[in-house]
Amino acid sequence: MTDRLNDEHLETAKRKGEHIRICLTEDVQSVGTDPGFANYRFRHLALPELAFNDIDLSTTFLNRAMEVPLLISSMTGGTYEAAAINVRLAEAAEVRGWAMGLGSMRAAIENESLADTFQVRQYAPTIPIIANLGAVQLNYGYGVNDCRRAVELAEADALVLHLNSMQEVFQPEGDTNFRGLLGRIGDVCRSIGVPVGVKEVGWGIDAETADRLIQAGVSFIDVAGAGGTSWSQVEKFRASTDPLRAEAAEAFAGWGIPTAASVREVRDALPQATIIASGGLHNGVDAAKAIALGADLVGFGRSLLAGAAEAAAGGSGSERDLHRQMERTEFELRTAMFGIGAGSLRELQSTKRLIRI
């Protein structure tokens, strides 16, 4: 039994390392689907009647004040390469005032010697940090105590349970029993003692599902829509010993609800919900559109990974480049708001100047 568990622990860590390598070196972009923000355009306001420097990007999330409504999306952890990447991301998030989501902490729950690959609170003492586990693990022996342990290990403000049904199908070792999961998510929400969110991993969440999750006690929804990284494509590159799955993955390269459509659908159905938009956002203008469509926060993931990986490896100027990329995103968001005369995030969310084209 011990040997089998050790093998599973090693397999989980190995898989996390492969995911990093593939995301950095292979084309894992959705095919034939984009996040949908190109379908919208802001109507320029020539006389904004406000000063650029007075635009307020501040917000609150998980009872912490934030300078900007931006999030480093859940990406990695569980290997020592991932630990260095997470440190660089956490340091940058602290400087810029972004929230940070951690990658799946299953590896740390299975083997606490890997816990320090997720322990970034010392590098980011003031920002919201979100621990992360796969929701499906609640059907494979995980319970409230494991979820609570993930939060404790990360000194996190909340837990996100990710939904990755399609990814699990394309993993030869995938966990595909999603039966009865909503009730178990509700149990965690009622018992864990911190806010619990739910996120997809790149295929979007529809309004009906979001409503069921909120009714179960979920505190926030990260729609993580289609148009960015396709995890069926990622798993295709891992499936060297399973040609059927590798070939079938091509049929699903464009699967999912585009991010913009998912945000709008969930917001229209749930006016009071806290919504995070992630999945294929490229810049601060996309972020402004996402907020105007109804998002409260906007997440960036793989677009930041290369800079963080280079910084972790000690690449010349790479840490500065990561900070600059984040700063540019903030500037683009602020400039888009200036261009439509929105002086605050509340005004951006209620603007009538975003039109579908």
Side-chain angles (χ1 to χ4, degrees):
M1 174 68 77
T2 300
D3 289 344
R4 182 181 66 80
L5 291 176
N6 287 337
D7 288 345
E8 290 177 356
H9 300 166
L10 291 171
E11 179 59 36
T12 299
K14 177 185 176 184
R15 184 165 64 249
K16 301 307 177 186
E18 290 173 345
H19 286 161
I20 295 171
R21 177 187 60 78
I22 290 167
C23 285
L24 287 172
T25 62
E26 304 288 357
D27 182 3
V28 293
Q29 187 75 14
S30 294
V31 177
T33 300
D34 67 56
F37 296 107
N39 297 326
Y40 293 89
R41 186 180 185 90
F42 283 114
R43 291 178 61 238
H44 175 64
L45 181 62
L47 185 60
E49 290 286 2
L50 56 83
F52 183 80
N53 289 338
D54 290 340
I55 294 172
D56 183 9
L57 298 182
S58 65
T59 189
T60 59
F61 181 54
L62 303 175
N63 295 317
R64 288 185 183 262
M66 293 180 60
E67 296 179 30
V68 292
L70 301 173
L71 165 76
I72 296 176
S73 294
S74 305
M75 279 189 281
T76 193
T79 72
Y80 289 103
E81 177 189 7
I85 291 172
N86 277 340
V87 167
R88 294 294 178 251
L89 289 170
E91 290 173 337
E94 177 70 20
V95 169
R96 304 301 322 165
W98 293 37
M100 181 174 176
L102 297 168
S104 173
M105 295 181 65
R106 178 181 173 185
I109 298 300
E110 292 176 348
N111 180 2
E112 286 204 14
S113 70
L114 296 172
D116 60 354
T117 69
F118 299 94
Q119 291 171 337
V120 298
R121 178 57 82 187
Q122 62 182 308
Y123 306 101
T126 70
I127 65 169
I129 292 177
I130 307 170
N132 179 3
L133 285 172
V136 75
Q137 297 311 313
L138 299 175
N139 277 349
Y140 288 84
Y142 277 48
V144 172
N145 288 338
D146 299 296
C147 294
R148 187 178 292 119
R149 185 59 180 151
V151 172
E152 292 170 351
L153 288 173
E155 299 179 64
D157 300 286
L159 173 72
V160 74
L161 296 170
H162 66 261
L163 300 174
N164 65 335
S165 56
M166 300 297 279
Q167 181 186 8
E168 295 288 351
V169 167
F170 285 102
Q171 286 183 5
E173 69 277 63
D175 296 324
T176 56
N177 177 19
F178 278 69
R179 185 184 296 114
L181 208 51
L182 183 65
R184 290 184 171 88
I185 290 172
D187 291 341
V188 173
C189 293
R190 286 186 292 273
S191 304
I192 193 174
V194 297
V196 176
V198 166
K199 75 182 297 293
E200 240 289 345
V201 301
W203 288 289
I205 293 179
D206 65 282
E208 180 182 357
T209 301
D211 182 53
R212 291 163 63 205
L213 290 166
I214 294 295
Q215 293 298 321
V218 167
S219 296
F220 59 93
I221 301 285
D222 185 341
V223 302
T229 302
S230 167
W231 282 92
S232 59
Q233 291 290 87
V234 173
E235 296 300 341
K236 176 186 73 175
F237 288 104
R238 291 188 61 241
S240 57
T241 61
D242 193 335
L244 184 149
R245 280 183 169 82
E247 293 166 10
E250 291 295 333
F252 292 88
W255 187 269
I257 306 169
T259 303
S262 189
V263 170
R264 185 160 198 170
E265 178 179 337
V266 174
R267 174 56 71 209
D268 287 347
L270 300 169
Q272 304 304 316
T274 299
I275 300 172
I276 300 172
S278 65
L281 288 93
H282 298 295
N283 51 52
V285 179
D286 285 347
K289 291 177 181 179
I291 294 169
L293 288 167
D296 297 290
L297 292 180
V298 177
F300 291 84
R302 189 164 58 94
S303 62
L304 300 174
L305 181 61
E310 290 177 12
S316 176
S318 52
E319 187 168 352
R320 182 176 64 251
D321 291 343
L322 174 63
H323 285 255
R324 185 177 180 83
Q325 182 180 357
M326 296 168 71
E327 183 180 9
R328 187 186 71 240
T329 300
E330 298 164 20
F331 179 79
E332 291 163 349
L333 170 58
R334 188 184 299 273
T335 302
M337 292 171 65
F338 187 60
I340 61 170
S344 67
L345 297 177
R346 183 182 297 274
E347 291 179 11
L348 177 57
Q349 282 188 315
S350 61
T351 185
K352 305 299 184 186
R353 304 195 72 85
L354 184 69
I355 58 174
R356 188 173 177 88
I357 55 175

